[in-house]
Amino acid sequence: MNSHAVKTSAIALIIDDEPQIRRLLRVTLESNGYEVFDAVDGNQGIVQAAQCRPDVILLDLGLPDLDGVAVLKRIREWSRVPVIILSVRDREQDKIAALDAGADDFVTKPFSSGELLARLRTTLRRSQPASGASVFRAGKIEVDLSARNVRKQGQEVKLTPTEYALLRLLVIHGGKVLTHRQLLTEVWGPNAVEQTHYLRVHIAHLREKLEENSAQPAFIITEPGVGYRAVGWE
Amino acid sequence: VNDRERPNPDALLAAIQGKTARSQRGRLKVFLGMCPGVGKTYAMLEAAQRELKAGRDVIIAYVETHGRKETDALAIGLPLIARKLYEHRGLALSEMDLDAVLSRHPQLALVDELAHTNAPGSRHPKRWQDVNELLDAGVDVFTTVNVQHLESRADTVRQITGAEIRETVPDSLLDAATLELVNLPPAELVARLQQGKVYLAERAASAGQNFFQESNLTALRELSLRLVADHVSVDTQEFHRSQADAGAWKTGHRLMVAVSASPLSESLIRWTRRMADSLRCPWLAVHVENTRPLEDPVQSRLQQNVALARTLGAEVVDTTDDNLARGLLRIARQNNVSQIILGKPAGATLFEWFRAGKLFRQLTRDSGDIDLQIVRAEKTGVVLPPRRWRWRPTSDGKQYVIAALTLAIVGLLNALLVQFTGPRVPGFVFLLAVVLLALFLGRGPMLFAGAASALAWNYFFLPPRFTFIITSTEDGVLFGLYFVVAIVLGQLVARIRAQELAERRREERATALYHLTREFAQAGTRDEVVWQLVAEVNRGFQASTAVVLPGEKSLAAHPDSSLVLSEKELQVAEWTFLNRQPAGKFTDNLPGAEALHLPLTTERSVVGVLSVSLPEKALPLARRDLLEAYARQAALVLDRVALRAIGEQSKLVAESERLSNALLNSISHELRTPLAAITSAISALAESKKPDGTFDRSMVAEIQEASARLNRLVGNLLNVTRLESGHMRLNLDWCDVRDLVQTTVRVLERELSGRTVTLEMADKLPLVRLDFTLIQQSLANLMLNAVSHTPPGTPIRLQVRTEPLWLVFNIADDGPGLSPELLPRIFDKFFRAPGAPAGGSGLGLAIVKGFVEAHGGRIFAANRPGGGAEFTLRLPQTEIQPVETA
């Protein structure tokens, strides 16, 4: 694995009203080869997002002028730039609201810099123009999107169409949390957003079929109360 | 017309609001005259002018000058409140506009003719009640009255002049007043009368010839002079009141008078009031009810007399006894009465004398240390037809038929029997029948049965048969004895039964009160008391009932009330609340209302109003007494509940203070410990100068651990806050139990390292409905608890099973287990077992309990039989797992 998959001097925009957090993030990011801009409130952040054309935005939810989700929605009106939420709010409703509004990831304060950098890399890699790769691998599992088949240790695994659709969605958004709503809308359609039990059952089936030890899943992780995330896929 | 007669609600409300601002009761000054024409109004206006000059705010609320120039001239300069017009049977009547005066709220109001009767439709039937309300509102009042209109003197005046006095004023109103006698020598008055200077209403004019005789006037003058001399000034009375606290009244006199429907009663009541007045002692008016029901005119006369006693300031007591003397003495002893006032009837019939004598003899014999005072009493009012001559069947005709039939059957049996026994035995069989009948029949039928059986025995059985003739002396004696025995026996048994009946009625009343008291004793909250009160009154009085209580802004009927109060009735209730007097139907205050409103008063305060809509047209004394007893009881309990609520509030405050102290202590400890670790580790890092530029990894690990601990504490505090705010909403969703358990284990990866964690669960578990995050945190807290209370490396087992309707988690360890005496407290907030390892906040288990109970589930802690602790979570699963459709 290439530990510096980001292009050199990717531009990061920090929108946070706490000077200490801005300072720490700036030091961490700059020492890891990012070019850093910052904004102290929502309105300034929106302007900066347009002016300095960042590759990724780190957005706090509790801003003095606008709510973070509102800022995110404004940015999403014209840009698909990856946005990572950095917030002290840890209730799942907050996470779901931000993710459903188009956030790419959600990191709860306090966080370790290592974790943040890893999330940044994943997010940036995902946002790069499709590499054309249609084969994803995690451990002994291989998903070939063009051939629409899934193999485990070379053996083809039989998946139902729904299970396949679910797996495909998680894999192409590898590393990103997909909320229940997003998964249900994509796989079952907008009328199914309340039917979370579909998800529970199919995720359980997928894990049974794919995971080495379904008691300790390694490839499809549950984000309590929020959704699921596929990890370790390349 | 009807609408105009009703008090205007707005005006009423304004009056009520004006009243709330009152500081104290106004002072009353009465200009007392011996008769019309002495110049009371003139004297009052003169005094008013003096007050006006002294700078007081004086208004004329109602003054009648009868067009006399001198009097009119005195009214100049005094503002006048327009009178209110009423129309009654085509007559235009003008009355004082009470509401206008109340809303104007002067310092002093002039109200002429205190004894005046208001036009129908006014708030009060009598003007003195209007004045009373003005005084209550804090307005001083000047008024005029003639001595003959005083309740206690009306009787004497009638004796002197022969004029019937209809308009009277209770003496109690004058108790706190200043009296000013308007004195005019009789000769002068007669001269004024002849000059036409005295205005007489038409009715008075006709009586005038007799009334204004000089001899009468002299007597009236003496009467009024004596009244003023007797009158205790306000200050002196206040002095006596304060003395009364020292027990002066208790050791002093206490008078008692019996109240009945007798024509003597009224004059006796007045006499007792005068006597009590001069002795300055309290007095009782007692009505002894006997077993015989009263006819309507008698009943209403009785109620008039009782009401009179009440207005005159008596404490009214109602009791039941067939023996008048016994009943009177019982009440007298219960109330420490010193004297009983009895009337000697003037112009009584022989029979009345006989009856009165019997009563006097019994009272004299049994009264012991109670004095008897026998005074001359006069009959007043219409003489009711005497009761003793009226044939009042107390039993219906059916009882006579039963008696006759029984005797006929017994007669037939006797006819058979007589052939074997001889003529005397049937007599005893008859006697037996009579005794048995007495158990079921009333007095009249028993009299009939006794006589009829005696005659039947004589006619059919005693020789010579089929005649009423008795030949043998023996038979004659036997017959005579039989006659007496049958009748006396029958009467005795019937009387015992009647007494039993009365006893039962009294018992029922006592039971009703007892029942209420007992129900109240169990009622813990205001709502429960109200509910009980409404239920009991509805049941006992076949009424519909509302309880009106003070709310945040205004009075409102309690939602448990069965009577819906209209806007108007609610205002009557408000009047009752503010004036602490009964109002509405059956009372003198706003009698036009549909319901009876009784204030719920205790000695301390007024707590509300009991509004009752009763089905009957008249409210018998006993029922009113019972209702008032209910109200008193309810007021006491409501007051007690309110006091207890205050007590509990302060207890709650103390408890929350204790908790917040514990919280502060715990928080400051929990926050500062990791902060201290971080600070010292960082300063160590800053000072360490290793030549190779590396730093001490262990310090970094310390900082990381302390930070994690701080973060966990903040999370716990947030959870507790969420639980305690009461606004926690469960985010119920279908969950995969395996996923739940796996996520928990994954989240705790670091804490669980080095331990064997056994997960025991079926491969196929149904989806369950719960809040994933909360239950996952609960499981995590329980696992962490196990980790922190067991030595490193101790295995932990997590078991999941489903029972019908329950999902059960069991977390067990092989550690030292829980100390039994601490078991009941481990789920308390901030409770930490002595010797517990550092790092816990004492919140983890409390949070688990809160989360689980929010799900309707239960949590249990126990020691395992083989050693170690176990925690069991039971979560209800009532919903059916959805069927998958995709």
Side-chain angles (χ1 to χ4, degrees):
Chain A
M1 173 180 155
N2 181 0
S3 63
H4 289 280
V6 284
K7 67 179 179 187
T8 47
S9 77
I11 300 168
L13 170 63
I14 302 161
I15 309 178
D16 200 312
D17 60 323
E18 284 289 338
Q20 198 176 8
I21 298 286
R22 283 204 307 274
R23 221 159 42 225
L24 266 169
L25 284 174
R26 179 177 279 275
V27 170
T28 311
L29 293 183
E30 280 180 351
S31 66
N32 279 276
Y34 289 83
E35 190 182 336
V36 178
F37 292 88
D38 54 22
V40 299
D41 60 33
N43 285 313
Q44 197 190 345
I46 293 166
V47 174
Q48 288 275 55
Q51 282 176 356
C52 61
R53 305 210 142 265
D55 295 304
V56 63
I57 296 177
L58 297 173
L59 173 65
D60 185 18
L61 285 183
L63 294 170
D65 54 345
L66 288 173
D67 187 71
V69 175
V71 175
L72 176 60
K73 282 179 178 162
R74 294 273 296 278
I75 292 172
R76 277 284 171 267
E77 283 169 14
W78 45 267
S79 168
R80 295 195 50 79
V81 58
V83 174
I84 296 176
I85 304 289
L86 269 181
S87 176
V88 293
R89 298 188 196 164
D90 64 346
R91 290 185 308 168
E92 57 268 32
Q93 295 100 291
D94 297 314
K95 294 184 184 171
I96 293 169
L99 291 168
D100 279 346
D104 291 79
D105 208 344
F106 196 110
V107 178
T108 310
K109 291 176 188 172
F111 51 84
S112 75
S113 52
E115 185 192 350
L116 178 66
L117 288 169
R119 300 276 189 103
L120 268 172
R121 279 196 296 277
T122 317
T123 307
L124 279 172
R125 189 169 59 229
R126 204 166 48 230
S127 73
Q128 277 164 8
S131 55
S134 62
V135 179
F136 292 82
R137 289 187 190 83
K140 292 166 184 162
I141 305 163
E142 187 180 277
V143 179
D144 187 340
L145 295 184
S146 56
R148 294 180 65 91
N149 70 14
V150 179
R151 290 169 186 282
K152 185 177 176 184
Q153 289 176 313
Q155 299 279 315
E156 182 164 350
V157 181
K158 295 255 179 225
L159 295 183
T160 65
T162 311
E163 285 163 7
Y164 178 75
L166 200 54
L167 180 63
R168 181 182 157 276
L169 201 59
L170 285 165
V171 164
I172 58 174
H173 291 99
K176 179 183 176 180
V177 183
L178 295 177
T179 64
H180 298 142
R181 173 185 285 269
Q182 287 168 339
L183 288 168
L184 284 162
T185 313
E186 289 290 323
V187 177
W188 281 273
N191 293 331
V193 290
E194 302 295 329
Q195 313 297 326
T196 45
H197 57 279
Y198 296 175
L199 261 184
R200 307 290 181 205
V201 172
H202 285 93
I203 293 283
H205 288 167
L206 266 181
R207 282 177 175 157
E208 261 171 51
K209 289 179 182 176
L210 300 180
E211 301 273 5
E212 285 290 306
N213 175 4
S214 71
Q216 281 174 0
F219 308 122
I220 301 171
I221 299 295
T222 304
E223 288 290 331
V226 179
Y228 296 94
R229 177 210 299 270
V231 293
W233 298 82
E234 290 177 8
Chain B
V1 175
N2 212 11
D3 271 347
R4 210 185 309 158
E5 283 178 0
R6 272 194 198 132
N8 171 3
D10 286 343
L12 201 60
L13 199 67
I16 287 165
Q17 281 159 353
K19 211 170 260 196
T20 51
R22 75 183 161 195
S23 52
Q24 63 184 77
R25 196 174 150 91
R27 285 171 178 272
L28 177 67
K29 183 165 188 174
V30 181
F31 294 84
L32 181 78
M34 60 184 177
C35 67
V38 294
K40 296 179 302 293
T41 307
Y42 188 90
M44 176 173 77
L45 286 170
E46 250 182 354
Q49 288 287 358
R50 282 198 297 273
E51 295 287 330
L52 190 68
K53 282 206 185 78
R56 293 193 73 195
D57 176 22
V58 186
I59 57 121
I60 294 180
Y62 186 101
V63 166
E64 192 57 75
T65 63
H66 303 297
R68 276 167 298 195
K69 283 189 195 110
E70 301 96 321
T71 321
D72 276 340
L74 269 176
I76 293 167
L78 292 168
L80 195 75
I81 299 269
R83 293 184 190 174
K84 198 169 176 177
L85 291 178
Y86 291 89
E87 195 187 312
H88 184 63
R89 291 182 188 159
L91 282 172
L93 302 170
S94 67
E95 296 289 353
M96 170 167 78
D97 190 342
L98 178 59
D99 293 322
V101 179
L102 282 170
S103 64
R104 168 71 175 71
H105 208 274
Q107 284 178 300
L108 173 63
L110 308 184
V111 186
D112 217 350
E113 291 171 29
L114 187 61
H116 173 79
T117 300
N118 283 334
S122 308
R123 172 126 100 242
H124 303 296
K126 300 283 187 182
R127 181 171 292 157
W128 63 263
Q129 292 168 314
D130 293 346
V131 167
N132 206 18
E133 199 170 332
L134 282 176
L135 293 171
D136 276 343
V139 177
D140 290 351
V141 177
F142 280 8
T143 188
T144 64
V145 74
N146 287 322
V147 70
Q148 79 241 31
H149 293 303
L150 287 183
E151 193 82 75
S152 62
R153 313 292 147 145
D155 201 23
T156 321
V157 174
R158 196 179 47 74
Q159 284 168 18
I160 298 169
T161 65
E164 192 73 33
I165 314 292
R166 294 185 193 283
E167 299 185 326
T168 55
V169 174
D171 295 53
S172 54
L173 188 68
L174 269 58
D175 283 349
T178 320
L179 289 191
E180 185 163 322
L181 182 67
V182 182
N183 193 10
L184 192 69
E188 225 166 289
L189 179 65
V190 172
R192 280 186 59 168
L193 196 67
Q194 278 156 4
Q195 288 160 19
K197 281 186 178 174
V198 176
Y199 170 87
L200 292 173
E202 279 178 48
R203 263 214 338 261
S206 63
Q209 303 307 335
N210 293 324
F211 197 89
F212 288 99
Q213 282 169 16
E214 212 168 312
S215 61
N216 278 355
L217 292 179
T218 311
L220 285 174
R221 189 170 174 223
E222 195 188 321
L223 188 68
S224 39
L225 283 168
R226 257 177 45 198
L227 178 80
V228 175
D230 283 351
H231 183 75
V232 186
S233 77
V234 180
D235 295 343
T236 326
Q237 212 169 44
E238 291 299 313
F239 171 75
H240 276 284
R241 289 265 154 77
S242 63
Q243 292 293 297
D245 291 340
W249 286 41
K250 273 180 196 154
T251 55
H253 293 283
R254 187 179 276 254
L255 306 186
M256 184 176 109
V257 64
V259 180
S260 71
S262 147
L264 304 178
S265 198
E266 190 184 328
S267 97
L268 264 182
I269 291 167
R270 291 183 195 284
W271 199 95
T272 313
R273 152 79 203 199
R274 280 200 298 277
M275 178 89 169
D277 241 16
S278 57
L279 288 172
R280 287 195 293 276
C281 68
W283 59 295
L284 261 69
V286 179
H287 170 59
V288 181
E289 205 180 321
N290 64 17
T291 49
R292 298 181 208 185
L294 299 174
E295 298 129 65
D296 282 349
V298 180
Q299 176 81 32
S300 79
R301 170 76 72 85
L302 171 66
Q303 273 177 41
Q304 273 172 29
N305 287 344
V306 169
L308 174 75
R310 203 175 261 137
T311 13
L312 287 177
E315 182 188 335
V316 175
V317 180
D318 187 38
T319 183
T320 312
D321 205 307
D322 242 0
N323 188 318
L324 180 59
R326 193 174 55 203
L328 286 175
L329 286 171
R330 191 181 63 238
I331 297 302
R333 296 228 156 78
Q334 280 168 7
N335 290 281
N336 284 330
V337 164
S338 59
Q339 283 187 35
I340 300 175
I341 313 296
L342 301 166
K344 61 177 179 191
T349 61
L350 199 65
F351 184 81
E352 280 172 338
W353 267 118
F354 172 73
R355 275 209 321 181
K358 202 175 120 196
L359 174 67
F360 290 174
R361 273 196 308 278
Q362 201 183 343
L363 282 175
T364 318
R365 197 181 57 219
D366 299 335
S367 54
D369 53 358
I370 300 171
D371 293 339
L372 300 180
Q373 178 137 209
I374 300 173
V375 303
R376 199 179 76 92
E378 279 203 42
K379 292 184 184 173
T380 47
V382 189
V383 177
L384 294 171
R387 188 156 83 179
R388 62 186 187 279
W389 295 123
R390 281 174 59 97
W391 175 244
R392 294 184 318 103
T394 48
S395 321
D396 51 18
K398 225 161 79 183
Q399 294 204 350
Y400 289 90
V401 178
I402 290 169
L405 279 176
T406 314
L407 290 182
I409 291 165
V410 173
L412 285 177
L413 285 174
N414 274 340
L416 295 173
L417 205 61
V418 75
Q419 296 164 18
F420 308 102
T421 59
R424 286 177 194 158
V425 173
F428 288 93
V429 178
F430 268 130
L431 197 59
L432 180 68
V434 168
V435 171
L436 289 179
L437 276 174
L439 294 176
F440 306 100
L441 303 184
R443 286 184 192 205
M446 281 320 300
L447 206 62
F448 165 75
S453 63
L455 292 177
W457 182 36
N458 180 4
Y459 188 79
F460 291 108
F461 302 107
L462 287 182
R465 295 178 69 180
F466 307 110
T467 65
F468 286 115
I469 303 161
I470 297 168
T471 43
S472 96
T473 323
E474 222 178 324
D475 285 346
V477 171
L478 269 180
F479 173 75
L481 282 176
Y482 175 92
F483 202 89
V484 172
V485 166
I487 285 170
V488 169
L489 204 64
Q491 293 301 302
L492 273 179
V493 175
R495 179 185 289 182
I496 289 169
R497 277 190 49 239
Q499 258 172 10
E500 233 171 56
L501 216 70
E503 198 65 38
R504 198 178 311 149
R505 268 221 310 265
R506 222 173 34 217
E507 177 101 3
E508 271 167 17
R509 254 161 66 184
T511 313
L513 255 183
Y514 167 71
H515 192 235
L516 188 76
T517 320
R518 202 189 48 196
E519 296 294 332
F520 278 170
Q522 288 164 1
T525 66
R526 198 170 86 154
D527 290 351
E528 281 169 21
V529 175
V530 169
W531 190 84
Q532 288 294 356
L533 179 63
V534 170
E536 290 295 319
V537 174
N538 283 354
R539 202 172 53 89
F541 290 83
Q542 288 82 47
S544 43
T545 311
V547 177
V548 181
L549 297 168
E552 274 173 27
K553 285 187 193 137
S554 58
L555 291 178
H558 191 277
D560 282 342
S561 304
S562 64
L563 174 67
V564 180
L565 294 177
S566 63
E567 185 73 5
K568 188 189 159 203
E569 292 292 325
L570 201 59
Q571 276 168 357
V572 179
E574 277 182 4
W575 191 93
T576 302
F577 185 81
L578 290 169
N579 291 278
R580 301 186 181 193
Q581 279 175 33
K585 205 174 171 185
F586 311 123
T587 72
D588 285 344
N589 301 313
L590 302 156
E594 276 152 27
L596 170 63
H597 302 266
L598 296 174
L600 299 172
T601 46
T602 64
E603 296 202 347
R604 231 162 47 88
S605 61
V606 48
V607 292
V609 177
L610 174 67
S611 303
V612 189
S613 171
L614 292 155
E616 51 256 84
K617 287 201 180 71
L619 185 62
L621 189 64
R623 290 182 44 95
R624 182 174 173 148
D625 269 1
L626 184 61
L627 197 57
E628 285 181 347
Y630 274 26
R632 264 196 307 278
Q633 198 64 38
L636 282 175
V637 179
L638 281 173
D639 198 38
R640 194 190 66 202
V641 168
L643 280 176
R644 200 166 51 200
I646 293 170
E648 254 157 38
Q649 187 66 40
S650 57
K651 220 160 73 188
L652 252 167
V653 168
E655 175 69 6
S656 75
E657 212 173 86
R658 195 188 65 75
L659 258 179
S660 74
N661 279 341
L663 179 90
L664 284 178
N665 288 340
S666 171
I667 301 270
S668 65
H669 174 258
E670 294 307 319
L671 284 173
R672 287 212 170 114
T673 311
L675 275 177
I678 293 170
T679 318
S680 66
I682 285 174
S683 56
L685 276 180
E687 281 162 23
S688 72
K689 289 172 188 161
K690 288 201 177 175
D692 57 352
T694 60
F695 47 83
D696 193 344
R697 281 270 159 202
S698 71
M699 285 296 132
V700 175
E702 284 298 331
I703 294 173
Q704 274 175 338
E705 183 170 338
S707 308
R709 184 174 156 189
L710 262 181
N711 193 33
R712 210 163 48 227
L713 174 70
V714 171
N716 275 341
L717 283 174
L718 285 176
N719 280 330
V720 168
T721 315
R722 215 174 293 170
L723 274 171
E724 305 230 310
S725 73
H727 297 304
M728 205 182 61
R729 233 187 49 228
L730 289 186
N731 187 11
L732 290 181
D733 199 357
W734 293 105
C735 300
D736 179 357
V737 181
R738 295 178 70 87
D739 196 0
L740 186 69
V741 173
Q742 286 155 9
T743 307
T744 309
V745 175
R746 182 171 59 82
V747 167
L748 298 178
E749 207 175 344
R750 204 167 64 84
E751 287 85 350
L752 292 174
S753 61
R755 289 180 190 257
T756 321
V757 178
T758 322
L759 301 180
E760 288 176 23
M761 52 185 165
D763 277 344
K764 288 279 175 194
L765 278 168
L767 289 187
V768 292
R769 200 162 162 76
L770 41 80
D771 187 316
F772 189 100
T773 324
L774 297 190
I775 297 303
Q776 185 255 304
Q777 277 186 31
S778 302
L779 293 178
N781 279 4
L782 288 175
M783 301 272 266
L784 276 177
N785 187 63
V787 167
S788 60
H789 288 91
T790 55
T794 312
I796 297 173
R797 189 201 66 192
L798 170 57
Q799 187 194 53
V800 188
R801 60 178 192 272
T802 51
E803 290 177 6
L805 303 179
W806 292 94
L807 173 68
V808 185
F809 294 95
N810 182 281
I811 290 158
D813 61 52
D814 294 331
L818 304 156
S819 146
E821 62 266 28
L822 299 178
L823 259 181
R825 294 181 57 203
I826 59 170
F827 293 110
D828 289 355
K829 277 191 294 285
F830 300 114
F831 174 76
R832 300 192 57 206
S841 57
L843 288 173
L845 291 180
I847 290 169
V848 175
K849 186 168 194 268
F851 284 174
V852 169
E853 286 177 354
H855 277 82
R858 301 283 306 278
I859 182 166
F860 306 94
N863 282 316
R864 297 170 63 204
E870 68 172 348
F871 289 83
T872 309
L873 296 190
R874 297 177 66 83
L875 298 171
Q877 286 299 314
T878 46
E879 286 189 55
I880 305 209
Q881 185 179 354
V883 178
E884 196 192 345
T885 54

